[in-house]
Amino acid sequence: RPGRPRGQARCRAGWHSRTGAARALAQAAFTAAGGRAVLLPAEAAQPADLLAAGGYLFVCPENLGTMSGAMKEFFDRSYYPLLGQIEGRPYASVIAAGSDGHGAQVQLDRIVTGWRLRRVAEPVIVNLAAHSPEAILAPKVVPQAALTLAAELGEALAEGLEGPFQQERLPGPGRGHQLECRHAGAREQRAHLGGDRVGARHHPLAHFNGPDR
């Protein structure tokens, strides 16, 4: 079965950061996974890294309404080598945005639909309200509420993936969370993840992949 690698309980986590937001979010999720994830820069991640992972957490910025170039390049070089190889594996995503985030989210979902990955948590968009050129280019400080949400997502994915996949406990895609430097609350995210413990996400981790705002 191509959906899950035999004897493999690790996930890969990758990031690419320009101003620090996506990197901070990926790091929060990675740290909360408690050593059950591998963090990789998007520019260094290869198809073999995804093939060896049981699930993925994609963390990236939105630039000009789309994923940033480094994240798109990662998908470009990985898409065809992995086509038909990772079907059914779980994924979740976090988008760091200046004012919207939905364009990057839609683009990411469209790409992984071709891989037939299975979304297991609501999309998370962290809106940092950066509108001017100066604010967009400035180093970012991510609110603690958003870091907590990312950490709980990473922890839930890691814990859920340690056990057998239990599809009935996994939520489907929905409207997701938009965090405007305040956020919907970590407890709500846990509720969307099926309670305090998720039943079958990334195997013991996630592939935190992406450049960041």
Side-chain angles (χ1 to χ4, degrees), residues 161-212:
L161 289 168
E162 286 185 314
F165 286 89
Q166 300 172 35
Q167 191 162 359
E168 69 276 9
R169 294 183 60 188
L170 301 178
R175 295 180 60 190
H177 299 280
Q178 175 116 20
L179 314 182
E180 312 247 358
C181 281
R182 53 178 178 67
H183 80 158
R187 285 185 201 166
E188 287 187 30
Q189 176 67 3
R190 281 189 152 177
H192 280 289
L193 292 176
D196 284 346
R197 296 292 176 264
V198 182
R201 256 111 170 48
H202 296 136
H203 58 77
L205 42 182
H207 196 133
F208 310 26
N209 220 338
D212 91 351

Side-chain angles (χ1 to χ4, degrees), residues 93-137:
S93 61
V94 181
I95 304 295
S99 58
D100 185 11
H102 292 92
Q105 184 64 64
V106 168
Q107 185 185 25
L108 190 156
D109 285 339
R110 185 179 296 124
I111 291 170
V112 301
T113 293
W115 278 341
R116 289 179 167 76
L117 297 185
R118 177 166 52 95
R119 176 175 281 285
V120 293
E122 300 291 342
V124 173
I125 296 175
V126 177
N127 192 325
L128 296 165
H131 304 295
S132 69
E134 294 77 16
I136 290 169
L137 295 173

Side-chain angles (χ1 to χ4, degrees), residues 6-207:
R6 269 187 198 181
Q8 178 56 271
R10 251 176 135 57
C11 199
R12 304 296 182 271
W15 59 270
H16 168 94
S17 176
R18 287 194 177 87
T19 62
R23 177 179 183 176
L25 292 162
Q27 183 66 53
F30 169 71
T31 300
R36 295 165 291 184
V38 175
L39 198 61
L40 287 174
E43 63 269 23
Q46 298 299 321
D49 295 314
L50 273 73
L51 194 60
Y56 316 100
L57 176 59
F58 299 109
V59 184
C60 74
E62 179 178 78
N63 292 341
L64 301 177
T66 67
M67 292 185 294
S68 60
M71 189 63 159
K72 179 59 164 56
E73 165 60 23
F74 156 75
F75 281 115
D76 286 345
R77 69 173 174 273
S78 301
Y79 186 82
Y80 288 106
L82 292 175
L83 200 60
Q85 307 267 348
I86 56 175
E87 294 178 2
R89 295 186 193 181
Y91 84 99
S93 61
V94 181
I95 304 295
S99 58
D100 185 11
H102 292 92
Q105 184 64 64
V106 168
Q107 185 185 25
L108 190 156
D109 285 339
R110 185 179 296 124
I111 291 170
V112 301
T113 293
W115 278 341
R116 289 179 167 76
L117 297 185
R118 177 166 52 95
R119 176 175 281 285
V120 293
E122 300 291 342
V124 173
I125 296 175
V126 177
N127 192 325
L128 296 165
H131 304 295
S132 69
E134 294 77 16
I136 290 169
L137 295 173
K140 302 298 186 295
V141 177
V142 180
Q144 185 57 50
L147 295 175
T148 298
L149 185 61
E152 292 194 350
L153 177 58
E155 180 184 16
L157 290 171
E159 291 186 3
L161 289 168
E162 286 185 314
F165 286 89
Q166 300 172 35
Q167 191 162 359
E168 69 276 9
R169 294 183 60 188
L170 301 178
R175 295 180 60 190
H177 299 280
Q178 175 116 20
L179 314 182
E180 312 247 358
C181 281
R182 53 178 178 67
H183 80 158
R187 285 185 201 166
E188 287 187 30
Q189 176 67 3
R190 281 189 152 177
H192 280 289
L193 292 176
D196 284 346
R197 296 292 176 264
V198 182
R201 256 111 170 48
H202 296 136
H203 58 77
L205 42 182
H207 196 133

